[in-house]
Amino acid sequence: MNKINNEKYNAAYDLINRNILSNPDKIAFIDNNNNKITYNELFKKVKTFAQSIRNIDINPNDRVLVCMDDSINYPIVFLGLIWAGVIPICINTMLPVKDYQYMIKDSEAKAIIISSHLISKFKIIEDENSNLLFIYDSDKGDLNLDSLIQKNNKTMEIHNESFEKDIAFWLYSSGSTGSPKGTLHMHKSLIETASNYAKEILKINKHDICFSAAKLFFAYGLGNALTFPMSVGATSILMSDRPTPESVSHIIQKNAVTLFFGVPTLYAALLNSKISHSLFKSLRLSVSAGEALPANLYEKWYKFLGIKVLDGIGSTEMLHIFISNTIDNITPGASGKPVPGYEARLINDDGSIASDNQIAELEIKGPSSAVSYWNKPEKSKVTFNAEWTRTGDKYIRDTRGIYTYCGRADDMMKVSGQYVSPFEVEAALQTHEEVLEAAVVAKKDKDNLIKPKAFIILKNQCNDEEMLKTKLTNHVKKQLTPFKYPRWYEFVEVLPKTATGKIQRYKLRTNDD
Ligand code: 3UK
């Protein structure tokens, strides 16, 4: 790829076209409703969908929110929009309504494409947004997704209008305070994650059968289940169900999956389940990201299956993994070394470059970095500093050049591989009628993985703590993405505070271990 000029390039066209001559009849995607699509069929449907979208007056650089479960329609929609120069914004299907309202307003999207089972959740939003076009994966809403995919239009060469550095798609990323940030990614970034990480580290090839437990709306899932397999003409298995030990092992066994991508919590759940190792015998390699993989989980997985799990750190801002262990060189409990094509540096609080064996903040330079956040100039300036992108992570590098995670530099926690702000959980708890004050901190579970714990001061004395815990959990699950609920509660009389009244969360953390 030409590094200096900004050449004509369309990410969707590239990912499809590279398979059309060599691989037309190969199955690109299979989903858990037994829908299958070959590369050639994908090509036709993407082109048709791209044209249909333009025919309904959705134009280059317009934004379209995509709130869909993983199925074969997802790649058609995502790639079809990109093909047309329209910008898909992939969003989590589990968010509370207020987050969707924010994203609709923030992005000024023209349309939203939604899986049909979410119809009731979007009812209020439909009533409030008469200018937004609702497209459902069913017969409800303004337009039916299938009709846009099936309609046989005459096709123009509309993919031929974009450049490699144009914005191709957005993903939303969350911070400890404030609203989610639209993270703007270029056309060229998708293939960069494949040619650096997937090719060099995973040695992906066309015989691989990929399965990502992380959904396509996450940067992690998008690379694992779409970019990487398409980059080499492999097959990707999509699953709309929630990843549980049962659903995941079933998919792996049924489809003879070779490359599996999960988060540490799922590896722990698989190892704690009674599932037979014979269900995993097709695997050649597994990958973990989203949060640090504790050394003991690596060892247990290797002992259980004789298969390695490569821990690597990625981010929504960098699009995929930029520091990773490799097949031949694994340090359990560490993230490994920079992926070829990426550079890492550690920066001290005073801005100087840290030496080996010093804990400092990690910055990354690499070809798949987002350009900026949408409409957040201050936050963009802090994170995207010329060629270097700040991660918000503290790391240490040893004399061999191996990087080990030492915690976040901000207040965020990673739970089941996803961001949780302790403040949002506290705010949700505080809206419950029994709660006077709440403080939320990270606590390690028996697998050494972080989950939220809440300390609560109640308004009134409570006779049935177990019942109250269930009520509080349900209350939090209704207001936030459900996985953010506290796994433990402690009812206390006082919370440790500074003279100015700020909660001293670090004191609660040390109380606990
Ligand atoms: C943390 C890790 C230690 C770290 C992601 C793979 O997780 C992804 O993106 P997010 O934007 O979060 C980024 C933050 O998560 N993290 C991720 N992986 C690891 N910490 N070890 C790890 N292996 O704090 C990072 O800054 O949700 C993961 C690929 C693409 C991704 N977007």
Side-chain angles (χ1 to χ4, degrees):
M1 188 170 292
N2 192 313
K3 294 258 150 59
I4 301 157
N5 298 321
N6 189 9
E7 307 229 313
K8 277 228 160 136
Y9 176 81
N10 182 292
Y13 179 78
D14 176 19
L15 286 173
I16 292 170
N17 190 53
R18 59 178 58 220
N19 294 294
I20 290 310
L21 288 177
S22 53
N23 255 337
D25 299 323
K26 176 89 183 267
I27 290 176
F29 295 95
I30 303 179
D31 68 24
N32 61 317
N33 287 322
N34 237 344
N35 298 306
K36 298 183 173 122
I37 189 164
T38 65
Y39 277 102
N40 198 39
E41 289 162 352
L42 184 66
F43 168 62
K44 289 188 189 146
K45 293 200 168 180
V46 163
K47 230 164 92 168
T48 307
F49 182 69
Q51 192 58 55
S52 311
I53 277 289
R54 291 283 284 269
N55 291 351
I56 57 172
D57 198 31
I58 296 179
N59 296 307
N61 293 319
D62 282 345
R63 270 85 61 196
V64 173
L65 292 156
V66 177
C67 190
M68 287 171 63
D69 290 333
D70 285 20
S71 79
I72 63 162
N73 279 354
Y74 203 111
I76 297 170
V77 164
F78 179 73
L79 296 168
L81 291 168
I82 292 180
W83 183 289
V86 177
I87 298 177
I89 308 174
C90 306
I91 59 177
N92 190 324
T93 54
M94 308 278 283
L95 297 179
V97 166
K98 68 170 176 13
D99 287 20
Y100 295 128
Q101 284 161 331
Y102 174 81
M103 289 169 181
I104 288 166
K105 203 158 169 242
D106 178 61
S107 64
E108 299 167 57
K110 264 206 176 169
I112 180 164
I113 306 179
I114 311 165
S115 283
S116 47
H117 74 95
L118 295 169
I119 283 184
S120 56
K121 194 165 172 180
F122 276 89
K123 187 79 193 83
I124 313 170
I125 302 177
E126 270 196 62
D127 295 343
E128 284 173 0
N129 291 276
S130 50
N131 290 330
L132 187 68
L133 181 67
F134 286 80
I135 303 171
Y136 282 101
D137 197 353
S138 77
D139 290 330
K140 305 266 166 47
D142 303 326
L143 264 172
N144 170 261
L145 178 59
D146 271 342
S147 72
L148 294 173
I149 293 173
Q150 304 298 349
K151 220 184 258 167
N152 221 344
N153 297 293
K154 58 176 189 306
T155 51
M156 300 178 295
E157 295 296 298
I158 53 175
H159 67 273
N160 213 358
E161 298 164 1
S162 39
F163 290 81
E164 60 186 35
K165 291 182 183 164
D166 286 351
I167 302 303
F169 64 99
W170 300 7
L171 299 167
Y172 270 96
S173 176
S174 40
S176 52
T177 56
S179 336
K181 298 162 284 191
T183 307
L184 278 45
H185 285 286
M186 296 183 280
H187 277 267
K188 76 180 186 93
S189 298
L190 287 169
I191 199 65
E192 292 283 9
T193 63
S195 24
N196 295 298
Y197 173 72
K199 183 158 174 272
E200 299 295 329
I201 304 291
L202 303 180
K203 315 284 181 201
I204 193 167
N205 64 73
K206 69 169 184 223
H207 304 297
D208 273 317
I209 298 172
C210 302
F211 171 50
S212 173
K215 303 295 180 200
L216 285 163
F217 57 73
F218 294 118
Y220 182 41
L222 185 66
N224 305 338
L226 189 145
T227 322
F228 300 169
M230 290 191 76
S231 72
V232 291
T235 298
S236 177
I237 313 299
L238 302 175
M239 178 180 83
S240 58
D241 303 341
R242 208 167 66 87
T244 60
E246 292 70 30
S247 64
V248 163
S249 56
H250 173 74
I251 293 274
I252 292 176
Q253 192 252 350
K254 184 173 170 215
N255 299 283
V257 168
T258 61
L259 260 180
F260 170 63
F261 302 85
V263 295
T265 301
L266 180 58
Y267 285 103
L270 283 163
L271 287 165
N272 291 333
S273 73
K274 299 259 157 8
I275 289 167
S276 153
H277 63 262
S278 67
L279 298 184
F280 302 93
K281 63 176 189 286
S282 56
L283 291 183
R284 75 165 175 88
L285 187 64
S286 34
V287 174
S288 174
E291 64 188 298
L293 181 73
N296 69 308
L297 283 182
Y298 168 85
E299 309 283 4
K300 273 194 193 164
W301 187 254
Y302 191 58
K303 228 163 136 193
F304 176 54
L305 294 180
I307 286 167
K308 293 177 178 171
V309 46
L310 294 185
D311 185 12
I313 172 178
S315 72
T316 306
E317 285 76 4
M318 289 308 299
L319 192 55
H320 216 278
I321 290 172
F322 45 80
I323 293 179
S324 179
N325 286 282
T326 63
I327 296 172
D328 299 322
N329 198 344
I330 294 179
T331 313
S335 302
K337 291 186 176 179
V339 167
Y342 294 80
E343 284 174 56
R345 67 181 191 190
L346 294 174
I347 305 291
N348 294 316
D349 287 346
D350 66 3
S352 60
I353 307 241
S355 336
D356 290 346
N357 298 320
Q358 274 187 313
I359 297 178
E361 197 185 322
L362 179 69
E363 296 192 351
I364 301 294
K365 183 163 138 182
S368 59
S369 175
V371 179
S372 66
Y373 296 125
W374 172 254
N375 231 340
K376 295 210 170 9
E378 292 311 316
K379 288 196 166 146
S380 296
K381 230 192 297 175
V382 171
T383 302
F384 304 100
N385 175 3
E387 291 179 295
W388 292 92
T389 303
R390 280 176 81 166
T391 61
D393 293 305
K394 287 182 286 181
Y395 261 83
I396 192 164
R397 183 186 58 240
D398 69 13
T399 50
R400 297 168 301 170
I402 291 171
Y403 286 77
T404 299
Y405 178 71
C406 301
R408 290 283 309 169
D410 55 21
D411 292 297
M412 298 301 277
M413 326 177 194
K414 275 321 250 341
V415 177
S416 306
Q418 301 173 58
Y419 277 126
V420 178
S421 160
F423 311 129
E424 63 178 340
V425 185
E426 288 169 5
L429 287 165
Q430 271 151 7
T431 61
H432 190 274
E433 57 189 6
E434 290 296 327
V435 174
L436 183 64
E437 284 187 68
V440 170
V441 299
K443 175 180 154 76
K444 280 186 178 167
D445 68 7
K446 66 174 174 17
D447 295 306
N448 258 333
L449 298 167
I450 278 173
K451 303 281 183 276
K453 169 171 180 178
F455 290 84
I456 308 247
I457 305 180
L458 291 173
K459 285 185 187 158
N460 308 299
Q461 218 188 327
C462 165
N463 312 324
D464 190 343
E465 287 197 356
E466 289 314 307
M467 168 108 100
L468 182 58
K469 287 178 189 175
T470 308
K471 280 187 186 161
L472 291 172
T473 291
N474 291 337
H475 184 75
V476 171
K477 284 185 173 178
K478 253 189 249 152
Q479 291 187 59
L480 305 176
T481 314
F483 80 96
K484 297 181 178 179
Y485 75 94
R487 307 304 193 271
W488 305 272
Y489 293 90
E490 200 171 318
F491 298 105
V492 292
E493 298 292 320
V494 280
L495 289 171
K497 284 188 186 154
T498 64
T500 55
K502 267 193 168 175
I503 298 171
Q504 294 166 305
R505 289 185 186 73
Y506 69 94
K507 290 201 174 158
L508 296 169
R509 278 198 288 270
T510 46
N511 268 351
D512 209 37
D513 286 322

